[in-house]
Amino acid sequence: MSETNSAAETAAPHRYTAAMAADIEARWQDFWDAEGTYEAPNPTGDLAGDPELAAKPKKFIMDMFPYPSGAGLHVGHPLGYIATDVYARHQRMTGHNVLHTLGFDAFGLPAEQYAVQTGTHPRVSTEANMENMKVQLRRLGLGHDNRRSFATIDAEYYKWTQWIFLQIFNSWYDTEADRARPIAELVEQFESGTRATPDGREWNELSATERADLLSQYRLAYASDAPVNWSPGLGTVLANEEVTADGRSERGNFPVFKAKLRQWNMRITAYADRLLNDLDGLDWPEAIKLQQRNWIGRSEGARVEFPVDTAGGITVFTTRQDTLFGATYMVLAPEHDMVERIIPAAWPEGTHPVWTGGHTSPAEAVTAYRKQAAAKSDVERQAEAKDKTGVFTGAYATNPVSGEKVPVFIADYVLMGYGTGAIMAVPAHDARDFAFARAFELPMRCVVQPSDDRGTDPATWDDAFGSYDAKLVNSANDEISLDGLGVVEAKAKITEWLQEHGVGEGTVNFRLRDWLFSRQRYWGEPFPIVYDEDGIAHPLPESMLPLELPEVEDYSPRTFDPEDASAQPETPLSRNADWVNVTLDLGDGPRKYRRETNTMPNWAGSCWYELRYLDPNNDRQLVDPSIEQYWMGPREGQPTGGVDLYVGGAEHAVLHLLYARFWSKVLHDLGHISSAEPFHKLYNQGMIQAFVYRDSRGIAVPAAEVEERDGAFFHEGEKVSRVLGKMGKSLKNAVTPDEICAEYGADTLRLYEMAMGPLDVSRPWDTRAVVGQYRLLQRLWRNVVDEETGEVTVVDTEPGEDTLRALHKAIDGVGQDMAGMRFNTAIAKVTELNNHLTKAGGPLSRSVAERLVLLIAPLAPHIAEELWRRLGHTDSVVHQDFPVADPAYVVDETVTCVVQIKGKVRARLEISPSITDEELEALALADDAVVAALGGAGIRKVIVRAPKLVNIVPA
């Protein structure tokens, strides 16, 4: 602190300073904790409280789960937390019972990687990080109900995460009822014969393994051998959503390859339509809805069967079934199950040499090509490579409409994750198929009339022709003709024909894939699943939950050379043989079992945490139904229920939000909760950015040590570059909230973060600008408290007319801005009012001072509590009523109306804002200046826009 400031404090011992702010803030934080100020009562149960408060309209306000990083918070992290706190405080003051709390999403890779590096148990480092964050967050004065806080690593929490997994495992999706139902009901259908088994045998004729395999085809949580995203560098598999557009792991930036492994999956695809349709009723940013719609990727088309001799048929999904007559070859993904079944022992006679890849047999060619494809990520496979690669399988399929034999290839540009993993290639009308056909000298047939002058012989074309507006040509057989039809008509006609002939049907396809739910990690929730000696999965009974994470000596999964696509996962839990191999009685006597050694992904704990906040101590059920109904149940304007406000970063548009919606829908279907959606209103806050300074090597240098000289920037005498980017420890530009709180106080930090700009827009941090909000609080303090004596200076007299108008306009504007989360403009209005009061001079009226304090209470709660107490009140400001504006003072007493003649201003009239168009026109035409300007000329037209404008057009 400067000598000038020290001198000022000596001269004014009761001035609002950083030291005073620290004292005030610490005292009131202790008071709030002791009094349970922010405790939101449930209507029933152990957290029931004041019945009058519980009877008020509820508001459930949530922040996205923080992860307890060892680096602690920088000033960018609390932006959303402060915003929800301000909003929650305003909602309390406007008559709501507000539930606002914060827990920790504490499983996951960062703690595990730290454990691997340092030997510190993940729980130890995670709990230490949580304690540090709690101290930092408490210092900000956040109004959380701490009784409801928890961490996902608490066994009493993940007991219910495991329980939910078992509900999903023990459910199937009934497409006729369009909801999930208990798997026991499906078993009853098989037992009774109302649902036939695939091969027609009686249920009791199936072996235990066959029954388990059959039910796995229906279960919403199931294990299967399927292509997965394998990251050798991380030693784990990843969900599609965790792979970047560059085909690398989101965490660590390692290469990701396709591998076939047995993993747990969630059948989220069963809910694709509902996940899509229910977006319409949510109050979410349109950009987020669009991302979810695109990820779900609904498309209408047809499934078509291409028969293959002796091997059944290959099913394709296409959105352009109208072009079937143009399909001259087929392509399977290299991983497709049909490949092994269709490849012959030798190349068919006359096989084109270009098709074989130089191999002596189809099996040799396929094996070599599969190995080549496995080394590429999905993104690399889909990239518009100049050279198309692939190999002939040696098999031919039959085009069901033309009857022609078409060769079947495998190529890496077809993925198992999309459609059926097989395509009918129409090279004349698809760019990739065209390039592939040219590379392998395959035939092409034009079936869509080109709109240019290229003609109808694709052999002469330079590229494919695709259009939705053209007419069909060359598309007829003895039974059907599409020639001359438009695309829509042709689609409908061919789909009907396919269905009649049993070789296809109209259907809907989704881009969405089932959710890969296994991780080869230690620091995650154990699966409540054991396997018997036949490898059949058995769920643990609820009485055995939680299945706690055991101790292991080595936390690290086995990692490999990041480029080694042939590596196989090895899990840390598999090394604890005493935990893995157990004898249990699951109801049929003691038997030997083997535990699942994968763990759940880090998303599991955050799929349902909003429900735990409601009833955090319940050890008998997931959540009390009456409590869930009270806080999250459907109501007017919220048809699917959910949290009233959910604030977090836009980066969670797909992953977390889609997964949480899926879990809510399953729990809703099974009758455990009334809300079919977890979050009704979503708000994405922007990012606080900071300048990053880099030296000539591109290395970040400490921002605090950079000097500016003549518009250039220097670090230790060397010129450095400056760009605006993220704030973070690694970029050496992080500013901690502790620093700002020590220099100015938490209320100043809160005000500055809210005043920087619109909440949903990113903005640069500028420590030098923080002082502006500090001065606002000093002026506010000075308007109520004498800096020399510490005495309150307010008087019990009525304020003047000007002050009343300024006060009520501020009350009206700040109230609207708070409700709309426009906190920056709310602060501007409070500042304007405070400046008016300062300039007016003299002591403040008590009624004005009290309402000024109430206005700023949601934004700067500590100083508001202090001033409220000094004004003579003994109760907390937190639950006071927010001021209500008097409409008579909100409307301006007069407004200025401009009168124009031929576009030039001829008069200004001071008039009532409620004046009518007719009254204003008469007043303007009678004005002396207007009469003189018209000079006796006639009037052709008068345009009136009361109360601001009159435009006169002379004749």
Side-chain angles (χ1 to χ4, degrees):
M1 190 170 292
S2 69
E3 292 181 11
T4 305
N5 286 340
S6 299
E9 287 174 28
T10 304
H14 296 280
R15 174 169 293 174
Y16 182 82
T17 61
M20 179 183 283
D23 174 64
I24 290 171
E25 289 162 5
R27 281 192 290 107
W28 283 108
Q29 287 162 16
D30 290 342
F31 173 87
W32 294 330
D33 285 348
E35 295 295 315
T37 302
Y38 303 110
E39 293 178 359
N42 281 343
T44 59
D46 65 316
L47 297 187
D50 181 356
E52 287 189 21
L53 182 53
K56 292 182 175 182
K58 63 86 188 180
K59 282 288 180 182
F60 185 5
I61 298 165
M62 269 181 64
D63 302 278
M64 287 190 183
F65 246 173
Y67 189 88
S69 163
L73 299 176
H74 59 63
V75 292
H77 290 125
L79 178 66
Y81 306 150
I82 295 170
T84 52
D85 185 62
V86 174
Y87 183 76
R89 289 175 181 277
H90 179 255
Q91 291 297 307
R92 287 191 192 94
M93 296 177 76
T94 51
H96 294 86
N97 181 22
V98 176
L99 192 167
H100 189 213
T101 190
L102 194 70
F104 294 91
D105 191 11
F107 276 127
L109 273 172
E112 187 174 278
Q113 290 174 327
Y114 183 76
V116 172
Q117 293 164 8
T118 64
T120 307
H121 193 286
R123 180 173 292 279
V124 172
S125 60
T126 301
E127 289 181 344
N129 294 342
M130 283 193 289
E131 288 308 309
N132 181 48
M133 283 184 69
K134 286 176 182 177
V135 171
Q136 289 186 296
L137 291 167
R138 185 179 188 272
R139 193 169 184 180
L140 298 174
L142 302 176
H144 293 150
D145 183 346
N146 292 321
R147 303 171 303 163
R148 299 175 183 267
S149 184
F150 55 80
T152 54
I153 60 174
D154 299 339
E156 56 269 28
Y157 179 81
Y158 70 73
K159 165 188 174 178
W160 294 104
T161 307
Q162 293 170 335
W163 181 88
I164 295 171
F165 173 82
L166 292 179
Q167 305 312 300
I168 300 173
F169 174 77
N170 284 320
S171 302
W172 64 293
Y173 200 85
D174 185 342
T175 54
E176 292 182 6
D178 202 22
R179 66 178 180 87
R181 294 171 59 186
I183 199 75
E185 295 181 14
L186 180 65
V187 173
E188 287 174 10
Q189 292 181 16
F190 283 127
E191 287 178 336
S192 66
T194 56
R195 182 183 292 266
T197 61
D199 62 5
R201 285 186 292 164
E202 297 291 328
W203 177 255
N204 58 15
E205 294 177 22
L206 304 181
S207 68
T209 300
E210 288 173 326
R211 292 179 187 179
D213 289 345
L214 176 56
L215 292 179
S216 283
Q217 296 173 31
Y218 291 86
R219 291 186 189 275
L220 290 179
Y222 64 95
S224 70
D225 292 315
V228 295
N229 300 305
W230 164 236
S231 174
L234 285 176
T236 189
V237 299
L238 303 170
N240 291 338
E241 297 88 343
E242 295 171 302
V243 181
T244 69
D246 298 325
R248 304 179 77 84
S249 62
E250 190 176 48
R251 183 171 294 278
N253 196 37
F254 290 109
V256 175
F257 305 98
K258 281 295 180 187
K260 206 164 193 177
L261 300 169
R262 190 161 186 81
Q263 301 291 316
W264 282 98
N265 295 272
M266 292 276 183
R267 208 179 298 276
I268 191 173
T269 49
Y271 282 83
D273 265 324
R274 285 170 60 185
L275 288 167
L276 198 61
N277 295 336
D278 286 355
L279 284 170
D280 294 338
L282 300 181
D283 185 4
W284 286 18
E286 281 304 318
I288 301 297
K289 289 185 179 183
L290 180 61
Q291 286 186 64
Q292 291 226 344
R293 289 189 181 106
N294 289 342
W295 191 263
I296 295 167
R298 186 182 193 276
S299 55
E300 294 187 12
R303 286 185 180 271
V304 185
E305 190 88 1
F306 282 69
V308 180
D309 293 341
T310 72
I314 299 172
T315 302
V316 302
F317 171 80
T318 176
T319 58
R320 291 300 303 270
Q321 60 267 40
D322 56 301
T323 64
L324 254 170
F325 283 94
T328 57
Y329 65 97
M330 299 188 75
V331 183
L332 303 183
E335 307 88 354
H336 201 291
D337 289 340
M338 283 290 291
V339 175
E340 285 87 352
R341 301 210 296 270
I342 65 174
I343 53 176
W347 294 117
E349 187 177 345
T351 297
H352 196 309
V354 176
W355 298 2
T356 67
H359 296 283
T360 57
S361 71
E364 182 183 314
V366 166
T367 300
Y369 189 78
R370 279 179 156 178
K371 185 175 182 181
Q372 174 185 329
K376 294 183 181 180
S377 69
D378 283 1
V379 174
E380 289 174 315
R381 287 170 59 169
Q382 289 181 294
E384 292 291 345
K386 184 177 180 181
D387 298 322
K388 293 296 177 188
T389 66
V391 69
F392 180 40
T393 62
Y396 286 84
T398 301
N399 184 320
V401 295
S402 69
E404 295 176 352
K405 295 287 187 181
V406 295
V408 182
F409 283 74
I410 60 171
D412 59 15
Y413 76 95
V414 177
L415 305 177
M416 277 305 300
Y418 297 91
T420 64
I423 66 164
M424 61 174 212
V426 185
H429 308 294
D430 180 272
R432 288 191 176 187
D433 295 346
F434 185 94
F436 191 90
R438 278 286 164 87
F440 289 88
E441 300 179 21
L442 288 157
M444 303 187 206
R445 178 179 294 109
C446 173
V447 293
V448 178
Q449 180 68 51
S451 56
D452 51 27
D453 59 0
R454 67 173 66 197
T456 58
D457 181 6
T460 64
W461 297 357
D462 295 324
D463 55 14
F465 172 79
S467 174
Y468 222 79
D469 300 325
K471 300 293 184 182
L472 274 293
V473 295
N474 301 325
S475 297
N477 61 27
D478 293 341
E479 299 179 10
I480 186 174
S481 174
L482 307 181
D483 292 346
L485 298 180
V487 171
V488 175
E489 294 173 283
K491 277 187 174 185
K493 188 170 182 179
I494 194 66
T495 300
E496 183 180 352
W497 187 90
L498 291 168
Q499 290 176 180
E500 288 175 354
H501 288 72
V503 291
E505 62 179 347
T507 189
V508 173
N509 197 53
F510 294 91
R511 179 178 181 269
L512 181 67
R513 300 294 94 193
D514 281 346
W515 173 16
L516 179 68
F517 200 70
S518 298
R519 295 295 181 274
Q520 292 67 49
R521 312 297 308 189
Y522 168 70
W523 195 231
E525 298 92 342
F527 281 93
I529 292 289
V530 293
Y531 299 92
D532 65 21
E533 292 174 341
D534 295 323
I536 297 173
H538 296 265
L540 292 181
E542 187 176 333
S543 61
M544 291 187 182
L545 302 182
L547 172 60
E548 297 197 35
L549 195 63
E551 295 299 321
V552 296
E553 292 184 6
D554 182 4
Y555 315 117
S556 58
R558 186 181 176 194
T559 57
F560 303 87
D561 179 342
E563 304 291 343
D564 183 4
S566 64
Q568 293 287 307
E570 178 188 296
T571 62
L573 290 182
S574 65
R575 301 175 194 139
N576 188 329
D578 291 340
W579 183 83
V580 173
N581 301 301
V582 291
T583 299
L584 301 173
D585 185 349
L586 300 184
D588 55 354
R591 293 176 61 188
K592 290 182 179 180
Y593 294 97
R594 175 178 52 83
R595 295 195 192 278
E596 172 64 71
T597 60
N598 287 304
T599 53
M600 298 187 199
N602 60 300
W603 308 105
S606 59
C607 275
W608 72 281
Y609 70 122
E610 70 283 354
L611 297 172
R612 193 62 177 175
Y613 283 152
L614 308 182
D615 198 10
N617 304 318
N618 197 332
D619 60 359
R620 301 176 309 282
Q621 58 191 142
L622 180 72
V623 60
D624 183 297
S626 63
I627 293 173
E628 188 272 337
Q629 174 71 46
Y630 173 83
W631 288 110
M632 289 184 63
R635 62 204 66 219
E636 187 176 354
Q638 299 183 16
T640 50
V643 173
D644 296 289
L645 176 66
Y646 192 39
V647 175
E651 65 272 16
H652 297 292
V654 172
L655 291 164
H656 159 60
L657 292 173
L658 198 62
Y659 296 158
R661 294 182 64 213
F662 166 55
W663 277 35
S664 284
K665 291 187 183 302
V666 178
L667 292 171
H668 171 76
D669 285 357
L670 297 177
H672 299 299
I673 59 176
S674 65
S675 49
E677 286 283 343
F679 314 114
H680 172 69
K681 180 178 177 63
L682 174 69
Y683 190 100
N684 297 130
Q685 87 272 15
M687 181 189 298
I688 290 183
Q689 300 170 302
F691 288 111
V692 182
Y693 299 89
R694 297 185 183 275
D695 61 21
S696 57
R697 301 167 298 166
I699 305 298
V701 301
E705 299 174 10
V706 173
E707 298 177 2
E708 182 177 359
R709 297 199 299 266
D710 300 325
F713 303 92
F714 297 86
H715 178 255
E716 297 180 350
E718 179 191 352
K719 191 173 182 180
V720 294
S721 64
R722 183 182 81 161
V723 294
L724 189 62
K726 288 185 177 182
M727 181 180 286
K729 188 175 180 181
S730 63
L731 298 173
K732 300 182 181 178
N733 62 354
V735 178
T736 69
D738 307 51
E739 297 171 53
I740 304 302
C741 288
E743 186 73 18
Y744 300 105
D747 280 340
T748 294
L749 173 63
R750 291 170 60 101
L751 279 173
Y752 177 65
E753 294 218 0
M754 294 299 95
M756 291 172 73
L759 183 60
D760 58 351
V761 175
S762 294
R763 73 295 304 269
W765 177 267
D766 183 359
T767 299
R768 295 168 300 180
V770 176
V771 71
Q773 301 307 318
Y774 181 54
R775 287 174 182 152
L776 166 61
L777 294 180
Q778 288 184 314
R779 289 192 295 270
L780 172 69
W781 180 268
R782 209 159 38 236
N783 275 333
V784 180
V785 177
D786 188 301
E787 291 183 334
E788 299 291 338
T789 66
E791 297 297 318
V792 171
T793 58
V794 301
V795 293
D796 293 319
T797 58
E798 287 302 309
E801 184 82 5
D802 287 349
T803 293
L804 281 172
R805 289 195 177 281
L807 172 65
H808 286 279
K809 281 186 176 181
I811 291 171
D812 180 61
V814 172
Q816 291 185 48
D817 287 345
M818 290 278 193
M821 301 181 72
R822 298 183 296 273
F823 304 127
N824 58 321
T825 54
I827 292 170
K829 292 178 175 71
V830 171
T831 304
E832 186 179 355
L833 172 62
N834 197 55
N835 289 344
H836 169 88
L837 299 175
T838 301
K839 290 175 184 175
L844 291 189
S845 162
R846 175 176 291 277
S847 66
V848 173
E850 289 183 345
R851 282 178 281 189
L852 175 62
V853 170
L854 293 172
L855 278 182
I856 205 166
L859 293 154
H862 307 92
I863 194 172
E865 284 279 29
E866 184 70 16
L867 292 174
W868 190 247
R869 181 59 59 91
R870 291 189 181 222
L871 285 166
H873 300 280
T874 56
D875 49 355
S876 169
V877 76
V878 169
H879 291 286
Q880 299 305 308
D881 291 338
F882 198 77
V884 178
D886 184 338
Y889 290 109
V890 173
V891 179
D892 287 331
E893 191 170 17
T894 63
V895 295
T896 301
C897 175
V898 173
V899 183
Q900 296 179 334
I901 300 174
K902 289 185 177 180
K904 291 186 178 181
V905 177
R906 297 299 186 180
R908 285 185 170 85
L909 311 177
E910 294 299 317
I911 57 169
S912 167
S914 60
I915 194 170
T916 66
D917 285 359
E918 293 77 12
E919 290 171 336
L920 182 54
E921 180 178 340
L923 200 62
L925 293 176
D927 184 82
D928 291 342
V930 171
V931 172
L934 286 170
I939 298 172
R940 182 160 62 88
K941 190 177 185 182
V942 179
I943 301 167
V944 182
R945 298 286 185 268
K948 294 291 184 72
L949 176 68
V950 176
N951 192 13
I952 301 170
V953 182

